Amino acid sequence: MAYSITSLCVNCFACMDVCPSRAIAEAKPHFVVDARTCTHCEGDYADAQCASICPVEGAILDPDGLAANPPGSLTGIPPERLLALAACSPA
Amino acid sequence: MELKVLGPAKPAAGGCAKGSCGSTADQMAHLPEAIRDRVKNHPCYSEEAHHHYARMHVAVAPACNIQCNYCNRKYDCANESRPGVVSELLTPDQAVRKTLAVAAAIPQMSVLGIAGPGDPLANPARTFETFRQLSETAPDIKLCVSTNGLSVPEHVDELVRHNIDHVTITINCVDPEVGARIYPWIFWKNRRIRGRKAAEILIEQQQRGLEMLVARGVLVKVNSVMIPGVNDEHLPEVSRVVKEKGAFLHNVMPLIAEAEHGTYYGVMGQRGPTQAELTALQDACGDMNMMRHCRQCRADAVGLLGEDRGQEFTMARIDAMAIDYAAAMERRAAIHAAIEAAREDGRAQQAAMTAPAAVPAGTRPVLIAVASAGQGLVNQHFGHAREFLVYEAGPAGVRFVGHRKTDQYCVGSSTCGDAGTALERTIRALAGCEVVLCSKIGIEPWGALEAAGIQPNGEHAMEPVEAAAAAVYREMFEAGALDAAPAAQIA
C-alpha cells in the first residue's frame, strides 16, 4: 500500500511540490497519489513528505489506511470542540 | 546602508516627538526623498496613496509551510474579506491575464501583489513565474510580495532579480515563547517541526530575511497581528527590533477570530482587540513609522483598498474581454500623471486651509469619521459608505487613526443575536466619533446620528479630507463645543 489522499484535501499543491518521487498529481475533485510511484519517501527522507507538510487533518492516509495527521494533531483544536461546533451550527 | 532611515525624526511642530505622529501628510515627510518616491503610489505603503491608487492580489500561491493559529486552510468563501481567503486559484498564466485585464479596466492600478492564499515563497515556481511574465508585459506595475518569512533567506536573490521592490513580512513575535502560542508547526528541512523549536526557527529566518532584504535595498514592511493576551504586550519590542534592522513601516493589525472561521483562535474563543486597544498599541510602538490604513484584504482582492471588485474579474469574464495592452499602459501613465497633479493641487489646498491653527494647545482632540470614495476627498454619500475613515483632529493638526467598516455581518459578540438595522450597526461602528463628514445624507440617518450624539455634516462635500476635518475642528472650537467633554453617546 501507498500513501493516499482523501476528499478532505483542499488542493493546495503543498504535497505535490515536496514529493521526491513525483507521485502526486493534480486531479479533480482532489489531488491523487500514484500508488505505483509512491516510495513512502524511503531512501529520501525520514518522514513521508506529503504527510509532513499537509495542513489538513485526515487528508492524507498512511499505507495502513490510517490518518497520518489525526484530528487535533495539526491545529491543536480538541476534536470534541469541533464536534460541538458542528452540532450547533446550521448545516 | 542608506535605507536605515527611521530615526530620529524631528519633533513635529506642536510637540509630539513621535515620528509616526502628526498629520498623515507628514507621516512620510521624514523619509528620504528616494524612499518617498518609491512608495508614493503604493496604496499599501503610503496612507496618502491609498486614496488614489488601486492594487490587486493574484492567488497563485496556495501551498503554505507553516500553520498560524489565526488561519484555517480549509476556508474559501466569496463573502468573507480577510487574508488567506480566495475564490479562484490561478495558474501563473491566468494570473498574468487577470493582472493585465484589471490594469486595463482600473487605470489607477499601480501594484500587483502575491499574498497567498498560502505563502508566496512556499510556492516559488508559481510566484516567480508570475513575476517574470509581468515584469516583461507590464513593466509599469510595481510587484510586491507578502510572506511569513520562513523562506525569505533562500529567495532573496530571486526576489531582487525580479525587481521586487517591496516585501512584507508578517512578524508576530521575536520571542519563541510567544511564538509557540501563535504557530503550532512549521515545515522545515523536510520535517514538520512543532512548538517552541518551530517558533525559534521561524523567528531566526524572519530576522535574517529582513536583514538580507534591507541590505539589498528592498523596502520591507512588517505586519503584526495583535492577539490580546498573547503578543499585545510584546509588539512594541517587535517594533523596536524590526525598526533597528531597517524595516521602514510597521503595520499592526487586529486579530480576526470568529468560531465559524474554524481557526484555532476562533474555535478556542480567543478574542480580537478593540479599536481603542489597537490604537493604543499603535501609539505605543515607539517612533516606528506606523501604518494604520490596512484593510486586511483577501489574497485575491482587486481595487482601491476600501473596496473589492474581485467579482468583476473572474477568469470566465476575463477570457471574454478584448484588451489592447499597449494602449492600456499608455492610459495608465496618463491617469497616474493626472492623479499626481491632482494630489499636488490637493496638498496646496490642504496646506492653505489648515495652515493657521487657531486652536490653542491643550484643547481636547475630536474623532471625525469621513465617507470617502477616494481621491482624498469628502465625496461619498453617507448611505453608500461601506467604511468610514477616522481622523483625530487636535490643536497640532489632523491625523489618520484608522477606519471603521460598516458592512460586517457581525460586529462583535455583544451585538450578536439582536436584529440591529444597518443604520444601527453603522452608528455603533462610529462610536467615539463626534462628527461624520459626507457628501450627502438622508433625513432619517441624520436624525438617528444626532440622537446618538454624532453630528452629521455635509457642508464640506468635495473638499480634501484633512482640510475639511481641520475646518470642522476650528468651527467646533469657535462654537465652544470643545470646552466641555464630548456629549454622552447612546450606543
Side-chain angles (χ1 to χ4, degrees), chain A:
Chain A
M1 281 292 284
Y3 279 81
S4 61
I5 297 176
T6 73
S7 62
L8 295 171
C9 169
V10 294
N11 301 309
C12 79
F13 287 74
C15 59
M16 191 176 99
D17 290 352
V18 297
C19 176
S21 318
R22 296 180 171 224
I24 300 175
E26 189 182 0
K28 302 279 174 185
H30 58 76
F31 283 57
V32 290
V33 182
D34 178 356
R36 290 163 305 177
T37 320
C38 171
T39 62
H40 312 181
C41 295
E42 275 165 25
D44 287 306
Y45 299 108
D47 304 326
Q49 294 299 286
C50 56
S52 299
I53 199 168
C54 180
V56 180
E57 293 157 356
I60 305 246
L61 302 183
D62 67 17
D64 296 326
L66 302 173
N69 299 299
S73 67
L74 299 182
T75 60
I77 302 172
E80 57 275 17
R81 197 81 181 236
L82 280 180
L83 285 174
L85 269 180
C88 67
S89 70

Side-chain angles (χ1 to χ4, degrees), chain B residues 146-471:
Chain B
S146 180
T147 172
N148 62 43
L150 181 63
S151 301
V152 168
E154 64 184 285
H155 292 299
V156 166
D157 286 339
E158 194 145 22
L159 285 164
V160 172
R161 192 177 320 133
H162 291 285
N163 218 0
I164 312 302
D165 212 21
H166 303 67
V167 172
T168 298
I169 309 178
T170 299
I171 299 180
N172 294 316
C173 54
V174 291
D175 174 354
E177 291 297 330
V178 176
R181 298 174 62 198
I182 302 174
Y183 307 104
W185 57 265
I186 67 171
F187 182 76
W188 176 248
K189 293 198 193 293
N190 302 100
R191 309 196 71 155
R192 199 189 306 265
I193 315 271
R194 299 167 190 268
R196 190 195 150 97
K197 180 77 189 152
E200 260 172 38
I201 295 167
L202 177 63
I203 291 167
E204 195 196 321
Q205 289 291 105
Q206 290 172 332
Q207 295 299 317
R208 207 151 64 84
L210 167 60
E211 289 168 13
M212 291 168 79
L213 288 166
V214 168
R216 301 290 288 271
V218 176
L219 287 178
V220 182
K221 166 161 77 73
V222 169
N223 279 354
S224 300
V225 180
M226 177 184 182
I227 311 157
V230 176
N231 71 346
D232 49 345
E233 291 177 6
H234 177 57
L235 283 178
E237 166 75 358
V238 171
S239 206
R240 190 187 62 73
V241 169
V242 300
K243 177 189 167 183
E244 203 173 274
K245 295 194 172 168
F248 91 110
L249 186 60
H250 191 194
N251 173 29
V252 176
M253 306 172 289
L255 170 71
I256 301 174
E258 301 291 342
E260 57 270 33
H261 296 162
T263 61
Y264 175 84
Y265 284 145
V267 171
M268 302 305 278
Q270 168 68 49
R271 73 173 180 95
T274 63
Q275 181 64 49
E277 287 171 330
L278 178 67
T279 303
L281 177 60
Q282 288 170 333
D283 287 344
C285 283
D287 59 355
M288 180 52 157
N289 194 12
M290 299 299 291
M291 167 169 170
R292 297 164 194 259
H293 66 279
C294 179
R295 301 301 198 279
Q296 295 176 280
C297 58
R298 295 160 56 102
D300 59 1
V302 171
L304 289 168
L305 250 46
E307 66 180 13
D308 189 351
R309 298 174 57 181
Q311 304 291 326
E312 296 169 43
F313 300 98
T314 59
M315 280 321 292
R317 291 186 179 191
I318 286 163
D319 287 337
M321 294 178 188
I323 300 151
D324 181 341
Y325 298 130
M329 192 148 66
E330 274 178 37
R331 180 152 170 262
R332 272 202 301 282
I335 297 266
H336 288 202
I339 289 173
E340 286 309 306
R343 285 174 81 181
E344 204 45 60
D345 286 354
R347 273 192 287 268
Q349 201 181 342
Q350 198 101 273
M353 292 173 76
T354 49
V359 180
T363 310
R364 72 173 179 87
V366 169
L367 290 182
I368 297 176
V370 180
S372 172
Q375 296 105 53
L377 303 176
V378 182
N379 60 357
Q380 195 170 36
H381 192 294
F382 177 83
H384 295 169
R386 298 179 70 192
E387 64 166 26
F388 291 86
L389 306 176
V390 178
Y391 291 79
E392 185 188 80
V398 175
R399 68 165 186 152
F400 176 77
V401 291
H403 61 96
R404 309 272 178 92
K405 285 186 182 165
T406 62
D407 59 339
Q408 284 168 304
Y409 65 95
C410 175
V411 287
S413 51
S414 62
T415 59
C416 238
D418 71 12
T421 65
L423 178 58
E424 284 167 2
R425 285 200 301 274
T426 297
I427 289 173
R428 264 198 295 269
L430 292 176
C433 300
E434 293 179 56
V435 180
V436 57
L437 293 176
C438 51
S439 63
K440 279 184 179 166
I441 180 169
I443 288 173
E444 188 205 351
W446 181 289
L449 281 163
E450 268 194 337
I454 304 169
Q455 183 59 50
N457 184 325
E459 287 164 29
H460 295 272
M462 300 317 288
E463 286 178 19
V465 168
E466 289 171 36

